[in-house]
Amino acid sequence: MPEDFYLRPNVVVEPLVHHWYAWSHLIPPATAARNETERHLRIMDSFIQAPEAHAAAVKDPKLLGGPFMDLSRDHLDLVKQLADETRNSPLARLSQAICQLDAMLRENAKGYSLEPLYEMVPEPLKGYVELVYDLHNNASFRLLEPLLYKSDFYDPKLQSIMLSLITGDERPFVLSTPRFKEKGSVQLPVPFASEQIDFLFRLKDEPARFTEIKGHLGLKDEDDEALSALLSTTPTRKYQPYDGKAARWRYFGHACILLEAGGASILTDPVLSYTYENNVSRYTYEDLPDVIDCVLITHNHQDHLLFETLLQLRSRIRTIVVPRNAGGSLQDPSMKLILRQCGFKNVVEMEEMEEAQFGPLHITTLPFFGEHGDLDVRTKLAYFVRVNGHSLLFAADSCNISPEMYRHVHAELGDVDAVFLGMECSGAPMSWLYGPLLTEKMERAHDQSRRLAGSNFERGNAIVEQFRCKEVYVYAMGQEPWLNYVMSVKYTPESHPIVQSNQLLEACRAKGMIAERLFGEREIFLS
């Protein structure tokens, strides 16, 4: 009798856009265009000129996260082909048009009416932008994002999913190297919104026959061997839901926490490890409930909005809460539109100081300052959660640059029992993430001063004291070994974020508080 097969728990999932690892700026056409020409194409041209230099650079831990391809010279022809496709793509025309539009506004917008300038908008952008001034007569433009998703600049056929087996934590950094099909991998050329993806990940719990799996995923006979390696007849471990009378939270790594109470659940910033033999104890996909009532996303960075995890959970998630933005600025694309284009239909936008409830879990959204290099980015929220007499503050990478703001919040909400805070207080320069969006060269001194940084000891301690917290938990800030592929940090005991977070923990413990830096896994029952 034919056997039923499950998807193995150690199948690594790489969502790709035109061969590059998918993160949130590769979905909206405008940010994708700038990243294609100002990041990907520059890296590819550099590799084509000096593949040996790239091979040496990726072996240097000090250069982790830099613009270096982790590919051998054997991939040179594939990279050349991809570079040519990129240079001649619709997105390249869109990227050039954004540069031209910026230059046109700098030259012609002098405080007079902008109406005559609509005729001078570059052809690829005509009908997709509104020209505007701010109150200081600085000219800019607003992108009509929903229309751009309907245009030829958004091509879901460029999206695919790469599947392969993983047996350990080490993965190369993914944001600087395109992925090409390798022996033992299976590539599904399907858009992220495809129902085929939900079918694939339901195989973790709902088995199917090999022929059904192959047919539903549209795979060919040549994929049989690789597909077989990804499947198993062994059922996955069943999740044991929390059935206590109060609440429980579990730490899954980085900024990901599962909070359960009364049959309801909230998951923050899902970034998960797969299941395989390892030396660091951690919760994985098998430790999540079959239904997740609400996922809370704090901000639009690749280590908090991770498609690799979210696509696998899509069929389990009832609601995703995301920050609402101002709409249309290049540096701040709509997270709601991004997720809806990727097949998430239950996306709810919230603004600061709004409320929502899921069973006994009551959420209030809070302002989130810092971490974005002083750019006008509105897509960021912290979350205050009350549950059965307990209060928890999920502050993510918030930087306490305005203590007065927290005084106002505290006056409204009161004390907090436990705070969860990231303290990556060094941070990369603004250009590390947002550089491709700039159309003019930025002075290095300016770039170095505008960091993607969270709170240091002084600022973190001010939050703790303001809310009179009883417990303080600092996120591991990328130290978990399974996060190296999207994080580019290697800390030592002397690293500034470690020194600063240690100082906070010591100060809190000296006051008799519970204080720890989370790592791997943690479980707390709230009485």
Side-chain angles (χ1 to χ4, degrees), residues 80-149:
K80 287 179 179 178
Q81 180 182 340
L82 183 57
D84 288 342
E85 291 175 5
T86 302
R87 234 182 296 272
N88 297 294
S89 68
L91 287 180
R93 290 190 290 109
L94 180 60
S95 177
Q96 183 182 31
I98 291 171
C99 275
Q100 292 170 342
L101 178 60
D102 256 357
M104 185 274 286
L105 290 174
R106 285 194 300 271
E107 183 176 346
N108 296 284
K110 304 298 183 182
Y112 297 100
S113 171
L114 294 170
E115 290 183 17
L117 302 188
Y118 277 87
E119 294 182 1
M120 302 172 66
V121 172
E123 193 63 36
L125 280 171
K126 283 189 173 178
Y128 294 117
V129 294
E130 180 184 19
L131 307 183
V132 296
Y133 283 120
D134 66 14
L135 292 177
H136 300 284
N137 280 340
N138 299 309
S140 185
F141 59 88
R142 182 176 72 90
L143 294 161
L144 304 183
E145 287 189 77
L147 284 181
L148 278 171
Y149 279 115

Side-chain angles (χ1 to χ4, degrees), residues 351-519:
E351 296 181 355
E352 297 150 345
M353 304 309 295
E354 289 191 321
E355 299 181 0
Q357 186 141 1
F358 300 87
L361 301 164
H362 184 275
I363 299 167
T364 303
T365 56
L366 305 184
F368 176 155
F369 284 1
E371 173 69 2
H372 291 75
D374 299 320
L375 290 172
D376 183 13
V377 172
R378 315 284 179 86
T379 310
K380 52 187 180 181
L381 286 174
Y383 296 95
F384 176 82
V385 180
R386 292 191 190 277
V387 53
N388 294 334
H390 296 268
S391 56
L392 302 95
L393 172 56
F394 299 99
D397 298 323
S398 298
C399 187
N400 186 11
I401 52 181
S402 176
E404 295 79 6
M405 181 270 285
Y406 285 111
R407 289 180 201 147
H408 299 320
V409 170
H410 179 250
E412 180 69 20
L413 297 177
D415 294 349
V416 168
D417 292 320
V419 62
F420 299 83
L421 181 67
M423 292 186 65
E424 213 315 322
C425 49
S426 295
M430 185 272 289
S431 65
W432 184 80
L433 198 66
Y434 295 97
L437 308 184
L438 305 178
T439 59
E440 286 190 298
K441 187 174 178 60
M442 186 180 190
E443 290 186 27
R444 188 175 188 279
H446 294 172
D447 189 30
Q448 291 295 318
S449 74
R450 293 168 57 182
R451 314 294 292 192
L452 307 178
S455 292
N456 58 12
F457 160 69
E458 180 182 358
R459 290 170 169 174
N461 191 52
I463 294 176
V464 172
E465 291 185 342
Q466 179 65 62
F467 288 97
R468 295 194 274 266
C469 301
K470 300 173 184 174
E471 302 175 22
V472 177
Y473 300 96
V474 177
Y475 295 132
M477 301 177 293
Q479 290 189 96
E480 281 111 354
W482 62 88
L483 284 169
N484 285 338
Y485 70 104
V486 289
M487 304 287 287
S488 58
V489 292
K490 289 284 188 182
Y491 291 137
T492 69
E494 291 74 37
S495 296
H496 189 57
I498 300 300
V499 172
Q500 292 289 301
S501 58
N502 282 345
Q503 191 175 350
L504 176 64
L505 298 178
E506 290 163 6
C508 291
R509 289 168 187 154
K511 300 172 188 174
M513 301 163 59
I514 296 173
E516 64 180 272
R517 188 167 52 239
L518 299 169
F519 180 81

Side-chain angles (χ1 to χ4, degrees), residues 124-340:
L125 280 171
K126 283 189 173 178
Y128 294 117
V129 294
E130 180 184 19
L131 307 183
V132 296
Y133 283 120
D134 66 14
L135 292 177
H136 300 284
N137 280 340
N138 299 309
S140 185
F141 59 88
R142 182 176 72 90
L143 294 161
L144 304 183
E145 287 189 77
L147 284 181
L148 278 171
Y149 279 115
K150 304 293 185 183
S151 73
D152 292 339
F153 298 119
Y154 182 70
D155 185 2
K157 292 192 293 295
L158 295 177
Q159 299 170 2
S160 64
I161 300 287
M162 183 83 78
L163 305 172
S164 58
L165 290 177
I166 186 170
T167 57
D169 287 330
E170 285 303 316
R171 289 173 64 181
F173 185 68
V174 292
L175 299 186
S176 57
T177 302
R179 291 286 280 121
F180 301 103
K181 189 173 180 180
E182 302 171 347
K183 183 177 175 57
S185 65
V186 173
Q187 188 161 11
L188 304 179
V190 296
F192 298 153
S194 171
E195 187 278 331
Q196 292 166 282
I197 291 178
D198 295 326
F199 168 82
L200 173 68
F201 297 126
R202 280 198 298 267
L203 291 173
K204 291 186 175 185
D205 303 300
E206 304 172 13
R209 304 294 167 84
F210 185 88
T211 52
E212 180 187 356
I213 296 170
K214 177 181 172 183
H216 202 85
L217 298 179
L219 296 175
K220 300 177 181 178
D221 292 346
E222 63 195 51
D223 295 309
D224 282 1
E225 183 178 352
L227 176 61
S228 296
L230 306 180
L231 303 174
S232 169
T233 57
T234 303
T236 53
R237 174 167 48 86
K238 288 300 180 183
Y239 174 72
Q240 297 297 319
Y242 170 72
D243 58 1
K245 295 181 179 180
R248 177 183 73 181
W249 64 259
R250 282 180 167 179
Y251 173 70
F252 280 70
H254 201 47
C256 181
I257 288 178
L258 175 68
L259 177 62
E260 297 173 278
S265 57
I266 287 174
L267 188 67
T268 68
D269 291 342
V271 177
L272 303 181
S273 171
Y274 298 96
T275 303
Y276 42 75
E277 291 294 326
N278 60 79
N279 296 322
V280 179
S281 182
R282 83 282 305 261
Y283 295 117
T284 69
Y285 288 88
E286 295 172 288
D287 298 297
L288 290 175
D290 295 335
V291 173
I292 301 168
D293 292 282
C294 178
V295 164
L296 302 176
I297 305 294
T298 58
H299 58 300
N300 208 357
H301 288 170
Q302 77 280 359
D303 55 325
H304 294 262
L305 180 71
L306 188 69
F307 292 113
E308 177 170 330
T309 295
L310 284 173
L311 288 174
Q312 297 185 61
L313 301 181
R314 186 169 64 194
S315 62
R316 301 190 194 191
I317 298 171
R318 286 182 173 168
T319 302
I320 297 185
V321 171
V322 301
R324 177 176 291 151
N325 68 2
S329 61
L330 179 62
Q331 75 277 7
D332 193 19
S334 166
M335 197 185 296
K336 179 184 74 174
L337 290 176
I338 290 171
L339 288 168
R340 286 189 174 174

